[in-house]
Amino acid sequence: LQRKHATFEYELSRLGSQVEGLIEAANALLPSYAADKERLICDRRDEVIHAWRQLQCSTEQRKVHLLDAADVHRFFAMVRELRMWMEVMRTEMATKEKPRDVSGVELLMNNHRSLKAEIDAREENFSICLSLGRTLLNRRHPREEDVREKCIQLVTERIQLSDQWTERWETLQLLLEVYQFARDAEVADAWLMAQEPYLASKDLGETLDETLALLKKHLAFERAAATQEERFLALQKLTTVSCIE
């Protein structure tokens, strides 16, 4: 319809040249006539001018209505596309995949970061869409109530999407902490079990050399224990969550 109207405007511009020619011709005739004939020429000229101005006004109004219609269709199409995209994002974030270890959680966190990058990349699309919506509202478009409803709906769902991302991210952080705790606890437990035979030994050495060798071994054990102390202290602290769901 807009292309059709553009063609009509082009034809109208050509008609305008003809109208100007008629007005000029009428003005040129006026000095040659008087009384009734002069009045008749003036009346006909004024009728042409009035009709031409009405046609121009109607054409401009039609153009405005077509632009409004195009804008509102574009607005609703943008809203529909963004809402469909948000639904896909919500579905991806609602995955119930259960990681089994630290690397599994880190993989999920990397995937979740990529979703955040995609959400941020769409911010401009939201801004353009909402800006168009505000423009339509300022024009008092006939469908302004529908436009206002869609604007509110779009903003609300965008906030909900952001909240869902944050909630999922916090959950993954908690899972990472738990799995890191479990991993470190397993390593610490394995180290302690490996030391049990040495600690349970009653061997003090039969000779001075044997005793000195055992003492050297014990000093090495103490250094190793000091190295492990930080891990043991960390394991004594309370974790943010007590179990994995």
Side-chain angles (χ1 to χ4, degrees):
L1 288 176
Q2 283 183 302
R3 287 195 296 270
K4 185 176 180 180
H5 187 77
T7 301
F8 175 76
E9 284 184 314
Y10 173 73
E11 294 175 351
L12 193 65
S13 66
R14 296 175 60 186
L15 178 61
S17 299
Q18 297 178 21
V19 171
E20 289 177 2
L22 288 173
I23 294 173
E24 290 175 0
N27 290 335
L29 288 173
L30 287 176
S32 303
Y33 295 90
D36 292 343
K37 290 185 178 180
E38 180 184 13
R39 187 164 49 254
L40 180 62
I41 293 173
C42 287
D43 290 344
R44 292 292 181 268
R45 181 199 61 188
D46 293 344
E47 287 175 2
V48 170
I49 292 174
H50 179 70
W52 173 243
R53 288 176 178 172
Q54 278 193 321
L55 181 59
Q56 286 181 311
C57 182
S58 298
T59 301
E60 186 60 28
Q61 288 180 345
R62 173 65 173 168
K63 182 178 181 179
V64 170
H65 291 158
L66 286 173
L67 289 174
D68 278 349
D71 284 344
V72 80
H73 286 312
R74 184 165 64 254
F75 171 76
F76 286 128
M78 292 174 68
V79 170
R80 183 167 55 253
E81 179 184 352
L82 286 170
R83 293 189 66 209
M84 289 174 62
W85 169 79
M86 285 192 289
E87 181 61 30
V88 172
M89 291 293 101
R90 284 193 292 268
T91 300
E92 290 191 30
M93 286 191 285
T95 177
K96 300 300 182 181
E97 183 178 353
K98 294 289 186 179
R100 297 183 177 182
D101 51 28
V102 171
S103 61
V105 178
E106 290 175 340
L107 178 60
L108 289 179
M109 293 181 80
N110 287 335
N111 292 338
H112 201 58
R113 285 193 192 95
S114 68
L115 294 181
K116 183 63 165 63
E118 187 172 349
I119 291 173
D120 291 342
R122 291 270 180 163
E123 189 62 29
E124 184 177 358
N125 298 67
F126 280 99
S127 297
I128 293 173
C129 182
L130 292 172
S131 177
L132 179 56
R134 284 191 292 270
T135 299
L136 291 169
L137 291 175
N138 291 335
R139 290 183 196 167
R140 305 303 299 271
H141 192 278
R143 298 190 63 183
E144 65 175 314
E145 288 304 319
D146 293 334
V147 171
R148 181 178 291 105
E149 179 183 347
K150 290 300 181 183
C151 284
I152 295 173
Q153 190 176 53
L154 193 64
V155 171
T156 300
E157 291 183 5
R158 183 179 61 174
I159 293 173
Q160 291 173 342
L161 181 68
S162 179
D163 290 344
Q164 184 178 351
W165 187 93
T166 300
E167 181 180 349
R168 175 65 174 166
W169 179 252
E170 291 174 351
T171 298
L172 290 173
Q173 286 181 313
L174 297 181
L175 284 174
L176 180 64
E177 182 179 344
V178 170
Y179 277 117
Q180 286 174 335
F181 176 86
R183 178 195 60 191
D184 293 345
E186 184 177 353
V187 172
D189 186 58
W191 187 86
L192 289 173
M193 290 182 64
Q195 309 311 314
E196 285 182 359
Y198 168 72
L199 294 174
S201 174
K202 303 296 184 180
D203 184 13
L204 299 177
E206 297 294 334
T207 65
L208 177 60
D209 289 340
E210 290 179 355
T211 301
L212 290 175
L214 289 172
L215 181 60
K216 183 178 180 180
K217 183 177 181 181
H218 187 77
L219 291 174
F221 167 77
E222 287 183 337
R223 287 194 296 272
T227 302
Q228 295 292 329
E229 183 178 6
E230 183 178 348
R231 174 173 289 160
F232 292 135
L233 290 175
L235 292 174
Q236 289 175 356
K237 296 179 181 179
L238 293 176
T239 57
T240 309
V241 292
S242 60
C243 63
I244 303 175
E245 295 181 357

